[in-house]
Amino acid sequence: MEFLFLVLGVAATIFFLCKRTLNVKPGTAILKCFSSVGFVFTALFGFVGNDACPDALGACIVAGAVLGLIGDYVLDLKYVYPQNSDTYLRTGFMSFLFGHLFYSIGLMLTFGLEIKNIIFAVCGAVLMGVFVPLSEKIMTVKYGKFMKITVIYLIVIGFTVALSFSYLFTDICKYTIVFNVAMVLFLLSDFLLAGLYFGTREKDRKNQVAITFNHLFYYAAQYIIAASVLIYEV
């Protein structure tokens, strides 16, 4: 069943990528929701179908996927209902933030914590938090009133990515390698998203290529993480 949802979800995502343009309509947002439902059910049925997958890891991956689904839908609502765009943007950021927290918790409960993991994770969080204000000049973006939520969000992202990377040194296996691939894709997606949401130049905010690759990297990351529960081995 998990493979069916994986195939259907990927197919829905490809269809969504073909339809997602600069002008977001309610139908496009719903189609995006269907694309995200695919990785939620892939994670859920994959977890249930793999007895080797630890309960804590599987539950956290499913929880992160559900929060990703919520964030996906809410972020597109900012285009459909621009009068409430600030609320939708902050809500979307919070959904993804908590989703990554669940991913981090799942990793820690499964692979444990050594001093190396803690040092890597904390350093990653600090570096990302410091990078946000500096990135305004580097990336020609302006976070304005969203500076606080962006800093908090990227601190959590930095923590999760660095924590994941640290397990390549303490618990390297097929699972941690695959998970790190997903983390790299998440970073690429967020890098493009910064320009689309906060770019100071109109050509950055309305870049169809960036929109397509932002979603491509994001969905690739989510589906890889969702499917990762299928390959977990004791």
Side-chain angles (χ1 to χ4, degrees):
M1 183 67 73
E2 58 270 21
F3 291 104
L4 174 62
F5 281 111
L6 177 59
V7 172
L8 291 177
V10 170
T13 301
I14 293 173
F15 185 62
F16 163 71
L17 290 175
C18 293
K19 292 292 184 179
R20 177 62 160 89
T21 62
L22 294 173
N23 298 316
V24 180
K25 299 178 182 179
T28 311
I30 293 173
L31 182 57
K32 184 179 183 181
C33 187
F34 278 114
S35 302
S36 302
V37 166
F39 63 68
V40 171
F41 280 104
T42 297
L44 177 61
F45 284 97
F47 166 43
V48 173
N50 183 6
D51 293 334
C53 183
D55 290 345
L57 178 63
C60 286
I61 294 299
V62 172
V66 171
L67 287 163
L69 164 63
I70 295 172
D72 290 337
Y73 187 66
V74 169
L75 281 185
D76 265 12
L77 288 180
K78 73 185 287 293
Y79 295 108
V80 180
Y81 304 105
Q83 67 274 20
N84 297 317
S85 63
D86 289 2
T87 299
Y88 289 131
L89 182 59
R90 287 192 174 91
T91 303
F93 269 38
M94 292 301 296
S95 294
F96 291 123
L97 184 156
F98 282 108
H100 278 80
L101 281 177
F102 272 107
Y103 291 152
S104 293
I105 292 170
L107 290 174
M108 289 186 287
L109 292 177
T110 303
F111 298 104
L113 272 180
E114 296 182 13
I115 188 64
K116 291 180 183 178
N117 306 123
I118 297 173
I119 292 174
F120 265 97
V122 172
C123 287
V126 172
L127 287 174
M128 289 298 279
V130 172
F131 174 73
V132 177
L134 297 177
S135 68
E136 288 194 321
K137 289 186 177 181
I138 299 172
M139 300 170 56
T140 63
V141 296
K142 187 70 176 178
Y143 299 108
K145 57 187 174 183
F146 298 107
M147 174 64 82
K148 183 178 180 179
I149 185 63
T150 303
V151 170
I152 295 172
Y153 170 73
L154 284 178
I155 284 175
V156 173
I157 293 293
F159 182 91
T160 305
V161 172
L163 177 69
S164 173
F165 183 70
S166 73
Y167 288 118
L168 293 178
F169 297 92
T170 59
D171 290 277
I172 186 168
C173 61
K174 186 193 306 183
Y175 186 88
T176 53
I177 292 172
V178 168
F179 199 93
N180 271 277
V181 171
M183 289 295 102
V184 172
L185 291 169
F186 265 129
L187 284 179
L188 292 173
S189 173
D190 285 337
F191 175 79
L192 292 172
L193 194 66
L196 292 170
Y197 281 2
F198 308 114
T200 57
R201 299 174 299 188
E202 186 175 3
K203 68 176 184 178
D204 292 331
R205 297 192 305 274
K206 297 184 178 181
N207 187 325
Q208 184 62 57
V209 174
I211 290 174
T212 300
F213 275 94
N214 162 247
H215 286 93
L216 180 62
F217 291 145
Y218 167 76
Y219 275 104
Q222 288 285 31
Y223 273 100
I224 288 173
I225 291 179
S228 69
V229 295
L230 298 170
I231 66 169
Y232 186 91
E233 299 172 347
V234 178

